[in-house]
């Protein structure tokens, strides 16, 4: 098949928006093409409105293709699909008769230097992926932010040129997740919007903005509504949607707890009018999930979504105000958004709690308050008028207690669906 | 903190492996080891083998703690320890690894055996808690040595025990 045949290439953004209800999607990736194909087929035929995922392995993410070759030769299981290693024909066969306009497939990768990955996914006929110059850099290794910004700019620009052949490329921000835990939602919302603006600045106009479920449902609702309002105000093109990620931290270890937490994420998505949800499975706390575990998670989320209702919450909130302040402060640093993002991190205007990356200032801290809300313990140099600096010392036990807050709440027998304070 | 003895008992290098981006594990281990009275050099995620080996040659740690959770740890960690064990100046340094080392939790025991055979002094399986690890770290402090559990010491490489003795 010609990979650029537009009748056979999906318009991911348009598909999700026209789906007529919450679209659910796995985080799924296997080293073997046969298993990858089986996983996509099972996702497609699950009893839910789905799109497919090819999640890449860690070696491909860091560009260590030799390690992929060694692992495949020795029969060592990879934690994802090595799309750059396989010949394009292999990936075309994985997708053949499964991926297409009726079942778009997105590549999820976590790479700060994704040139080869973009080339490989486009070559095999896909037009949707994920990331961002900040969110695929700071949480994903040692690549300097300047290098990530430069490579992402170039990749987004060449990806945008798919429109010249009639294909609408789609990009999702990972900024609404970052390290997954202990970052107050306002900064996640701000980075998600800034990355969407970066995609627009480099020519991609079909985008989705992410937000990862955190420690308190009410706070999450507030955050997603803030995200929606900011997108409506700031994104130059209407082709955007919101994607919620089921919790991205220490996951419950019991199946009941895992399903309750996933269900809560589905409720959050529906409550806030979000269009798409990425699920987590019962295996999350231990190992890479099987195809079957993924299908069960997709179907569970879809059932919960069917009985959930949209909320009409206030779009104005402390989270909205704080996110807006951060976004404006960053945009005012430089007319080129990549430069603005780099300067923002250098000055500590953006600073992600507990992120060890050398380009992150590391002066901010988050904590969970007695209502279960994520708060600033230290705002470092964030340009937030209202500075917070509390003398809490972080201990190993205290950190693990905060990281385990959600796990503990959802694993508790007869857990209230709302996590109660317990730190 | 009491003012009795604030001198660090030595340096411990904490490190991820070449393909692993996870850092919460590293931050947690750093705090835990610092609380036991050691200075920590945390090399962070996606550490190339040479960076770890060169850093160790420079700072001469009393212990190297490798952590990986992405499922490639049993491969990356194996290559890493082979590189570390070829350096004569690092002879006898205590090196351990832990985390979620494979993508299938069923392979844990087999992976651990391979890692020990290649030169790790101990492998800490995921989900076993950090009690044994804490005891091992404590044992590197002369005044706390008796706390090293006898059953744990048997897991250490025999040729390493005299080295531990010496540092006492
Ligand atoms: C947060 C998270 C992320 C964040 C990490 C941000 C960051 N920079 O740290 C993000 C979103 C970026 C991420 C990315 C990926 N992740 Co991740 N991630 C997690 C998650 C949800 C929580 C991890 C966490 O916060 N741990 C907190 C620390 C304190 O706990 P811990 O890591 O479990 O470590 C404990 C023990 O293992 C032990 N321990 C660890 N090391 C050592 C060492 C010693 C010596 C000792 C004594 C003890 C010890 O002590 C700790 C405290 O108990 C876990 C799932 C889960 N656990 O619920 C998945 C998980 C670890 N990720 C996983 C994977 C595969 C990935 C990706 C490859 C993407 C993918 N294919 O799905 C990428 C990584 C890319 C790369 N290059 O490696 C898998 C690993 C699967 C496996 N081993 O079989 C997990 C288990 C999820 C899953 N079930 O699929 N991830």
């Amino acid at each position: 098949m010609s990979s650029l045949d537009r009748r056979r290439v999906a318009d991911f953004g348009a598909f999700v928006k026209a789906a007529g209800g919450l679209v659910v999607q796995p985080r799924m990736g296997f080293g073997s093409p046969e298993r990858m194909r089986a996983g996509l087929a099972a996702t497609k035929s699950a009893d839910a409105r789905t799109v497919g995922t090819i999640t890449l392995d860690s070696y491909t993410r860091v560009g260590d293709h030799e390690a992929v070759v060694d692992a495949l030769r020795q029969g060592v299981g990879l934690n994802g699909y090595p799309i750059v290693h396989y010949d394009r024909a292999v990936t075309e066969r994985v997708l053949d008769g499964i991926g297409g306009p009726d079942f778009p497939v997105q590549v999820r990768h976590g790479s700060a230097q994704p040139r080869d990955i973009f080339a490989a996914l486009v070559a095999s006929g896909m037009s949707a992926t994920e990331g961002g110059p900040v969110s695929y850099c700071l949480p994903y290794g040692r690549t300097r932010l300047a290098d990530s910004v430069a490579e992402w700019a170039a990749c987004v620009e060449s990806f945008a040129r798919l429109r010249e052949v009639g294909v609408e490329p789609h990009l999702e921000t990972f900024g609404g997740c970052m390290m997954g835990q202990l970052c107050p939602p306002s900064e996640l919302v701000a980075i998600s919007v800034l990355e969407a603006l970066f995609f627009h600045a480099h020519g991609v106009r079909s985008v989705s903005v992410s937000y990862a479920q955190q420690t308190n449902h009410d706070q999450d609702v507030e955050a997603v509504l803030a995200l929606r309002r900011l997108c409506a105000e700031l994104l130059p093109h209407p082709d955007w949607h919101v994607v919620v990620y089921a919790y991205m931290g220490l996951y419950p270890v019991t199946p009941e707890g895992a399903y309750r937490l996933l269900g809560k994420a589905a409720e959050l998505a529906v409550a806030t009018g979000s269009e798409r949800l990425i699920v987590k499975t019962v295996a999350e706390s231990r190992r890479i999930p099987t195809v079957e575990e993924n299908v069960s998670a997709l179907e569970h989320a879809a059932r919960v979504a069917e009985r959930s209702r949209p909320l009409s919450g206030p779009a104005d909130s402390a989270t909205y105000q704080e996110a807006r302040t951060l976004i404006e402060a960053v945009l005012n640093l430089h007319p080129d958004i990549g430069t603005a993002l780099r300067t923002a991190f250098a000055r500590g205007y953006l600073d992600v709690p507990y992120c060890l990356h050398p380009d992150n200032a590391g002066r901010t801290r988050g904590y969970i308050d007695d209502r279960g809300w994520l708060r600033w313990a230290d705002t470092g140099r964030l340009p937030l008028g209202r500075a917070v600096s509390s003398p809490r010392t972080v201990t190993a036990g205290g950190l693990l207690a905060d990281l385990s807050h959600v796990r503990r709440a959802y694993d508790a027998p007869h857990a209230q669906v709302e996590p109660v304070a317990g730190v | 903190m009491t003012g009795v003895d604030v001198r660090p008992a030595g340096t411990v290098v904490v490190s991820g492996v070449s393909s692993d981006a996870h850092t919460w594990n590293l931050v947690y281990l750093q705090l835990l080891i610092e609380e036991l009275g050691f200075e920590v050099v945390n090399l962070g995620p996606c550490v190339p083998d040479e960076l770890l080996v060169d850093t160790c040659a420079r700072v001469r740690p009393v212990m190297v703690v490798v952590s990986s959770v992405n499922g490639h740890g049993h491969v990356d960690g194996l290559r890493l320890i082979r590189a570390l064990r070829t350096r004569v100046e690092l002879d006898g340094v205590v090196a351990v690894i832990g985390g979620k080392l494979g993508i299938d939790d069923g392979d844990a025991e087999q992976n651990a055996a391979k890692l020990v055979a290649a030169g790790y002094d101990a492998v800490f399986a995921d989900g076993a808690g950090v009690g044994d690890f804490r005891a091992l770290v404590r044992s590197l402090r002369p005044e706390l040595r008796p706390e090293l559990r006898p059953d744990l010491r048997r897991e250490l490489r025999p040729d390493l025990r005299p080295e531990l003795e010496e540092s006492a």
Side-chain angles (χ1 to χ4, degrees), chain A residues 199-415:
Chain A
F199 295 158
H200 273 286
H202 294 286
V204 166
R205 60 185 187 187
S206 174
V207 300
S208 43
V209 285
S210 62
Y211 178 76
Q213 180 184 26
Q214 300 292 325
T215 52
N216 178 284
H217 186 74
D218 295 339
Q219 186 180 30
D220 286 340
V221 169
E222 187 175 299
V224 179
L225 295 178
L227 179 60
R228 295 203 81 91
R229 178 169 167 198
L230 287 161
C231 288
E233 290 167 351
L234 299 172
L235 297 189
H237 194 273
D239 188 357
W240 59 268
H241 70 263
V242 172
V243 52
V244 168
Y245 301 164
Y247 191 60
M248 294 291 283
L250 283 181
Y251 217 72
V253 297
T254 63
E256 302 75 33
Y259 278 125
R260 273 195 288 265
L261 184 52
L262 172 61
K264 203 68 188 170
E267 267 180 55
L268 170 66
V270 175
T272 54
S274 301
E275 291 85 349
R276 185 159 55 96
L277 170 72
I278 306 211
V279 304
K280 284 265 170 116
T281 74
V282 291
E284 175 62 18
S285 67
R286 300 190 312 279
R287 54 162 172 76
I288 302 283
T290 61
V291 171
E292 295 70 30
E293 287 161 341
N294 270 298
V295 169
S296 303
L298 292 166
E299 294 181 343
H300 179 76
R303 297 300 83 77
V304 175
E306 281 158 10
R307 50 176 200 264
S308 304
R309 293 288 160 264
L311 275 177
S312 49
D316 195 10
S317 63
T319 306
Y320 168 81
Q321 293 299 341
E322 221 171 84
R324 172 136 204 145
T325 305
L326 291 174
I327 292 167
E328 281 171 358
V330 175
L331 293 177
N332 284 335
L333 288 171
H334 201 277
D336 170 65
I337 185 158
T339 310
L341 285 167
R342 277 166 40 202
T343 313
F345 277 97
R347 294 203 188 160
Y349 280 23
L350 291 175
D351 184 352
V352 181
Y354 294 102
C355 174
L356 298 178
H357 194 281
D359 293 316
N360 187 60
R363 292 170 188 272
T364 59
R365 288 286 176 265
Y367 77 104
I368 302 170
D369 77 7
D370 49 16
R371 289 162 61 209
W373 286 50
L374 258 177
R375 302 284 190 194
W376 293 110
D378 202 318
T379 46
R381 294 192 178 146
L382 298 180
L384 290 177
R386 187 190 58 89
V388 176
S389 178
S390 64
R392 288 166 48 102
T393 17
V394 183
T395 61
L399 177 69
L400 199 58
D402 270 4
L403 293 174
S404 315
H405 175 91
V406 168
R407 169 181 286 181
R408 226 180 13 255
Y410 281 85
D411 272 341
H414 319 296

